[in-house]
Amino acid sequence: KSIVVENPGTYTIVVIGGPNNCEARDQILVTVNDKPLVNIGADQRICQGTNIMLDAGAGQSYMYRWTRDNANISTARILTADMSGLYQVTVTNAQGCSATDQMSLTIVPLPTLTMPLTLDICGSNPKIIMPTTNGTIFQWFRNDVIINGQTQKDLSVTMSGIYKLEVSNADNCKTEGTITVTSRPSPTVNLGADITICPEEMITLDA
């Protein structure tokens, strides 16, 4: 009496019955409309302060519905995503056919970094800059020129300059901090040559 069809084509039904085996027939044309093609890409991890553009694809008379964690957020074709969550888009064409795609976006926090703004050193006597950070990858610069081999968190300095530390984490998210190092002249001290004095005699020593 009934069938389920999913392929396009012309379907004919023939009914034979009654005392004279009379025949009746009817036809119906079934057209299968294409669904929209939707692909917003794979799951991604991006750094805090950045965003990605999600494009649901163009089509004539397409309608769009975006959600993040099941909450409606947009009806535009292109979405700027800058918050963690599960993004899903449903696209509906003029024939009422719909298709859905989704992706997960994770916002990775930038590494923390704290260090002094200035540091004074005496002459070329070294001092150590010891920043506080939760980063795991380090690179030091002096006057915007990379210091080769200086890839540890702490840095011993002996010269004036503007020192920059670039800190990264496993997702290559970066934070920068700078410190101005100033070399101050060391005092000049001269007490003179050794001298011998007599008992109860006094001399004045001038630094």
Side-chain angles (χ1 to χ4, degrees):
K1 180 181 178 181
S2 63
I3 60 171
V4 176
V5 299
E6 58 182 14
N7 297 313
T10 300
Y11 292 82
T12 302
I13 182 172
V14 178
V15 179
I16 301 174
N20 299 317
N21 289 326
C22 295
E23 179 181 295
R25 64 177 56 219
D26 196 10
Q27 288 185 335
I28 185 171
L29 175 64
V30 175
T31 301
V32 178
N33 294 311
D34 293 330
K35 287 185 176 182
L37 297 176
V38 185
N39 182 3
I40 57 174
D43 297 346
Q44 292 193 50
R45 295 169 63 87
I46 63 173
C47 300
Q48 178 184 352
T50 63
N51 59 63
I52 59 172
M53 308 296 289
L54 300 177
D55 190 342
Q60 187 174 6
S61 302
Y62 276 10
M63 294 185 296
Y64 306 90
R65 184 171 71 89
W66 289 92
T67 64
R68 183 182 65 247
D69 296 334
N70 297 319
N72 292 326
I73 55 174
S74 179
T75 56
R77 169 190 158 189
I78 298 175
L79 178 74
T80 301
D82 59 2
M83 297 178 63
S84 293
L86 180 65
Y87 288 81
Q88 185 178 83
V89 62
T90 299
V91 182
T92 304
N93 61 21
Q95 291 74 37
C97 300
S98 297
T100 299
D101 194 23
Q102 65 181 29
M103 62 87 66
S104 177
L105 179 63
T106 301
I107 305 298
V108 180
L110 301 179
T112 60
L113 176 60
T114 303
M115 63 182 181
L117 295 177
T118 61
L119 177 67
D120 288 343
I121 60 176
C122 296
S124 59
N125 294 325
K127 278 191 176 180
I128 298 177
I129 306 172
M130 295 184 291
T132 301
T133 177
N134 63 357
T136 56
I137 304 170
F138 311 100
Q139 180 60 62
W140 282 96
F141 299 78
R142 178 177 177 270
N143 298 333
D144 289 326
V145 177
I146 193 170
I147 307 176
N148 291 326
Q150 297 300 332
T151 56
Q152 300 298 314
K153 180 178 73 70
D154 298 341
L155 178 69
S156 177
V157 294
T158 59
M159 294 187 296
S160 297
I162 298 176
Y163 289 80
K164 179 176 71 175
L165 175 60
E166 183 181 86
V167 182
S168 308
N169 57 23
D171 290 277
N172 202 34
C173 299
K174 298 180 179 180
T175 298
E176 295 180 353
T178 60
I179 179 172
T180 300
V181 176
T182 303
S183 176
R184 306 293 183 184
S186 298
T188 301
V189 181
N190 185 2
L191 295 178
D194 296 344
I195 189 170
T196 302
I197 62 174
C198 298
E200 298 182 1
E201 185 179 0
M202 292 186 301
I203 63 170
T204 299
L205 300 177
D206 188 349

